[in-house]
């Protein structure tokens, strides 16, 4: 017997937190694949190496506490619950690692992270961007429409870099920066990809997902479509997808930070500055 449909009364929610916790616990039991978190950790280390500062009180917000506790034993590692277990003004670095895409209130997550920073403390968030798993999303949608004539939520929505970058300012952080990398990933087939997502705890936990198993005919058709639309150029027998990873950074406001000039306060015109350049 299938489970009852979701209750749509009340404000809309993106994530079924019970299902998300269940997916993550299953991933931990079967041996979570940490390659994506390891990739993100390396990227963050590269960015921190370019900053002339030593961070002594870091914190990490994540859905994979085991990895980050081992990777950063000096950090306070907390879960990505709606209310973060962080105290105001206690950290000079807060990292929000690969969990913001599951937040019902992403701005609230950033605001809480910002409040946990000391003045001039650094915030870094990493989350999937809009192009992530795009061929998979399209294949599942086409297959479901062909087989059932309908469409249901299957993959969490991922934001555009411009929209996500604006969240940093809305959270009250200064000197905001948003940048993106794309990581290509090759899989043997659709099933190999599905197993990898399950091992990462990233299977469907959307609140308005269908509460019954997907028909095998849909999955078989999606596998066919994905093989046709996303072949690996270096090995056509495999499939290849891109993961867009967006990095958001901002600093807790402080008096010693550089600030933009007030409009109209410049004392030299652009034309005069250009005319003074040495040929």
């Amino acid at each position: 017997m299938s489970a009852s449909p979701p209750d749509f009364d009340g404000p809309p929610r993106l994530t079924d937190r019970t299902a998300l916790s269940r997916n993550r616990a299953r991933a931990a039991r079967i041996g979570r694949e940490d390659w994506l978190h390891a990739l993100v950790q390396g990227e963050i280390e590269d960015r921190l190496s370019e900053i002339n500062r030593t961070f002594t009180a870091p914190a990490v917000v994540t859905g994979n506490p085991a990895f980050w506790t081992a990777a950063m034993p000096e950090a306070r590692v907390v879960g990505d619950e709606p209310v973060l277990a962080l105290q105001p003004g206690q950290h000079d670095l807060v990292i929000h690692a690969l969990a913001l895409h599951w937040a019902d209130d992403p701005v609230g997550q950033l605001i809480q992270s910002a409040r946990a920073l000391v003045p001039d403390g650094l915030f870094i968030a990493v989350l999937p961007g809009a192009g992530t798993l795009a061929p998979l999303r399209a294949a599942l949608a086409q297959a479901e429409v062909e087989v059932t004539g309908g469409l249901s939520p299957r993959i969490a929505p991922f934001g555009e870099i411009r929209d996500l970058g604006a969240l940093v300012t809305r959270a009250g952080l200064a000197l905001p920066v948003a940048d993106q990398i794309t990581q290509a990933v090759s899989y043997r087939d659709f099933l190999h990809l599905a197993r990898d997502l399950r091992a990462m705890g990233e299977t469907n936990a959307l609140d308005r997902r269908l509460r019954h198993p997907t028909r095998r005919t849909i999955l078989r058709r999606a596998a066919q479509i994905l093989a046709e639309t996303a072949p690996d150029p270096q090995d056509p027998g495999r499939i290849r997808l891109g993961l867009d990873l967006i990095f958001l950074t901002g600093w807790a406001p402080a008096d010693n930070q550089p600030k933009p000039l007030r409009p109209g306060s410049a004392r030299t015109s652009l034309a005069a500055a250009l005319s003074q350049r040495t040929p």
Side-chain angles (χ1 to χ4, degrees), residues 27-72:
R29 288 195 305 271
I30 66 177
R32 181 193 291 267
E33 293 286 341
D34 291 331
W35 67 265
L36 184 56
H37 284 267
L39 172 67
V40 165
Q41 181 204 6
E43 288 289 332
I44 290 175
E45 287 181 349
D46 287 345
R47 285 163 168 76
L48 293 178
S49 69
E50 298 175 358
I51 300 172
N52 187 23
R53 181 180 302 187
T54 299
F55 296 95
T56 59
V60 181
V61 180
T62 182
N64 188 349
F67 173 85
W68 288 95
T69 298
M72 297 182 64

Side-chain angles (χ1 to χ4, degrees), residues 112-158:
Q112 293 181 71
S113 299
R115 288 175 177 167
L117 290 169
V118 297
D120 206 32
L122 176 62
F123 171 76
I124 302 177
V126 191
L127 69 161
T132 297
L133 300 179
L136 175 63
R137 188 192 303 272
L140 286 169
Q142 181 180 336
E144 187 172 13
V145 169
E146 289 180 5
V147 173
T148 70
L151 192 61
S152 62
R154 294 188 177 275
I155 298 178
F158 303 134

Side-chain angles (χ1 to χ4, degrees), residues 149-202:
L151 192 61
S152 62
R154 294 188 177 275
I155 298 178
F158 303 134
E160 298 284 351
I161 187 170
R162 179 179 299 180
D163 298 330
L164 294 171
L167 300 183
V168 180
T169 303
R170 289 182 60 187
L173 293 164
L175 308 174
V177 175
D179 67 287
Q180 175 178 307
I181 66 170
T182 298
Q183 175 68 43
V185 186
S186 179
Y187 292 98
R188 291 191 302 272
D189 50 28
F190 174 87
L191 183 59
H192 185 204
L193 167 59
R195 287 174 175 169
D196 194 30
L197 292 174
R198 176 172 294 210
M200 290 190 290
E202 291 291 338

Side-chain angles (χ1 to χ4, degrees), residues 47-276:
R47 285 163 168 76
L48 293 178
S49 69
E50 298 175 358
I51 300 172
N52 187 23
R53 181 180 302 187
T54 299
F55 296 95
T56 59
V60 181
V61 180
T62 182
N64 188 349
F67 173 85
W68 288 95
T69 298
M72 297 182 64
E74 75 283 9
R76 175 171 174 77
V77 179
V78 302
D80 59 322
E81 300 299 328
V83 178
L84 300 180
L86 296 175
Q87 296 299 317
Q90 295 298 306
H91 301 282
D92 54 7
L93 171 66
V94 174
I95 300 169
H96 207 297
L98 292 174
L100 201 58
H101 59 295
W102 288 118
D104 288 331
D105 180 14
V107 176
Q109 291 279 300
L110 268 65
I111 290 173
Q112 293 181 71
S113 299
R115 288 175 177 167
L117 290 169
V118 297
D120 206 32
L122 176 62
F123 171 76
I124 302 177
V126 191
L127 69 161
T132 297
L133 300 179
L136 175 63
R137 188 192 303 272
L140 286 169
Q142 181 180 336
E144 187 172 13
V145 169
E146 289 180 5
V147 173
T148 70
L151 192 61
S152 62
R154 294 188 177 275
I155 298 178
F158 303 134
E160 298 284 351
I161 187 170
R162 179 179 299 180
D163 298 330
L164 294 171
L167 300 183
V168 180
T169 303
R170 289 182 60 187
L173 293 164
L175 308 174
V177 175
D179 67 287
Q180 175 178 307
I181 66 170
T182 298
Q183 175 68 43
V185 186
S186 179
Y187 292 98
R188 291 191 302 272
D189 50 28
F190 174 87
L191 183 59
H192 185 204
L193 167 59
R195 287 174 175 169
D196 194 30
L197 292 174
R198 176 172 294 210
M200 290 190 290
E202 291 291 338
T203 47
N204 194 352
L206 295 172
D207 187 60
R208 300 201 173 189
R209 72 193 186 283
L210 294 180
R211 297 305 213 268
H212 58 72
T214 300
R215 297 185 193 179
R216 291 184 179 272
T217 50
I218 295 176
L219 298 178
R220 285 196 293 266
R221 179 59 182 138
Q224 293 172 351
I225 295 169
L226 197 58
E228 295 167 358
T229 58
D232 187 331
Q234 298 180 355
D235 187 349
R238 299 171 64 91
I239 58 174
R240 182 173 175 176
L241 294 89
L243 302 178
D244 289 347
L245 294 176
I246 294 178
F247 292 77
L248 307 176
T249 62
W251 296 82
D255 292 338
N256 62 341
Q257 288 173 344
K259 295 179 174 59
L261 290 174
R262 179 173 51 83
S265 62
R267 298 187 179 183
T268 304
S269 69
L270 177 60
L274 292 175
S275 68
Q276 296 172 4

